[in-house]
Amino acid sequence: MENKFKYSNNNKRYHTLDYENHQKHHGKVCKISLNASFSCPNRDQNGNGGCIYCSKLKSGEFAGNQHESLEEQFTKISKMMHQKWPNAKQIAYFQAGTNTYAPIDRLKETFEPFVEREDIVAISIATRPDAITEECYRYLDSINQRKHLIVELGLQTVHERTSKLIHRGHDLACFENAVKKLRALQIEVVVHIINGLPYESKQDMIETVQYVNTLNIQGIKIHMLHILKDTLLATLYEKQPFHVLSREEYVDIVVTQLEYLNEEIVIHRITGDPKKEELIAPTWLLKKFCVLNEIDKEMVKRNIYQGDKIIKAQK
Ligand code: SF4
């Protein structure tokens, strides 16, 4: 069946990153994930051990090797990417840890070489809303004047009770304030949410997406919670096992969330991508393409597209 969804260049019924990259950068774009060895205030300062799902690599499982310089990491990963996509353009993605959690001079040392490179079309910085100082906002503004800048923030859930359970370490007001400040500077914002957090219902997860619709954000990463070895989450799961979503449940929830999600929000990620050696559960996540296919099939079966619930409600 022909796909009539306007924000996709293939069979997807949601707003794909590939489509968006072609619009903005006129071709295939690869993300080069880097580890700049930043720490995290939620681990250093809050006395809670950090987010309960955080691994020793601080969410940078697929980033470059932190023992190599950023330039070495970039060159190595870029070479691998170009073997697969010889003409792809590149985004420098600062993934591991909290990438604005350092004095401004260190931030400049880290980002400036990449801002200046002509072979990089954008810089993407993953951080926390409570780790951006006023001085840092001014610096982010300066980057954004010179290069396409994306800032990624972790929301995970709209529900404060879950936020406390997972040690998110900041409240919703702090998150909203950061989104508003970044948008006032016209910086693109991508928000992370996690499905399957302990004790959340399908309705809870839909409410998180409905909340996201109220923010002026440009992209979303939808993750499936995965339990990794040597994390606080693994300890909780061992002591007090909670329900881990099955693949069928996850697909049902994501497809329903997409129906509720504003069609203009770009989907940067739609499932989890854990390392096999580190993973305790759920193991179905290892078959990433299977999950993606099931999502596509379910959207066809229900004959729905991203944002349908909003569009229908407006009619
Ligand atoms: S904000 Fe990121 S790096 Fe910091 S504790 Fe949470 S998951 Fe880990």
Side-chain angles (χ1 to χ4, degrees), residues 70-220:
L70 287 169
E71 204 185 319
E72 282 168 332
Q73 292 178 37
F74 190 90
T75 307
K76 211 180 253 185
I77 302 169
S78 168
K79 206 170 154 195
M80 285 189 309
M81 293 288 186
H82 278 129
Q83 275 166 2
K84 199 166 175 193
W85 296 288
N87 300 318
K89 297 171 184 180
Q90 308 175 97
I91 295 181
Y93 175 32
F94 293 86
Q95 182 182 27
T98 298
N99 291 279
T100 55
Y101 179 49
I104 202 77
D105 288 344
R106 172 149 178 230
L107 299 183
K108 287 182 180 170
E109 262 167 43
T110 305
F111 301 130
E112 278 308 303
F114 294 91
V115 176
E116 284 165 10
R117 282 177 70 145
E118 284 184 5
D119 59 342
I120 290 174
V121 293
I123 306 273
S124 185
I125 296 177
T127 188
R128 291 173 55 83
D130 58 357
I132 314 176
T133 61
E134 290 305 323
E135 198 180 21
C136 182
Y137 278 110
R138 286 195 291 278
Y139 177 51
L140 293 176
D141 183 28
S142 134
I143 297 179
N144 196 42
Q145 306 290 334
R146 293 173 288 149
K147 191 75 105 190
H148 174 197
L149 174 66
I150 302 143
V151 171
E152 299 194 10
L153 297 174
L155 166 66
Q156 325 310 4
T157 173
V158 72
H159 302 286
E160 291 289 352
R161 63 174 194 283
T162 317
S163 160
K164 290 203 172 78
L165 175 81
I166 63 171
H167 301 172
R168 187 178 65 193
H170 60 74
D171 61 15
L172 216 48
C174 170
F175 172 79
E176 277 181 25
N177 187 35
V179 172
K180 281 187 188 140
K181 282 182 158 170
L182 291 165
R183 292 306 298 142
L185 299 171
Q186 297 181 341
I187 294 171
E188 189 174 320
V189 177
V190 172
V191 169
H192 293 231
I193 66 168
I194 303 178
N195 285 336
L197 288 168
Y199 318 118
E200 284 212 342
S201 64
K202 177 177 174 182
Q203 183 56 30
D204 289 334
M205 294 176 241
I206 292 170
E207 283 166 12
T208 293
V209 160
Q210 287 176 314
Y211 168 72
V212 165
N213 280 338
T214 67
L215 306 166
N216 175 13
I217 63 143
Q218 289 60 55
I220 191 167

Side-chain angles (χ1 to χ4, degrees), residues 40 42-43 50-51 53-54 58-59 97-98 128:
C40 174
N42 203 26
R43 289 166 68 129
C51 305
Y53 44 79
C54 187
K58 298 185 285 292
S59 300
T98 298
R128 291 173 55 83

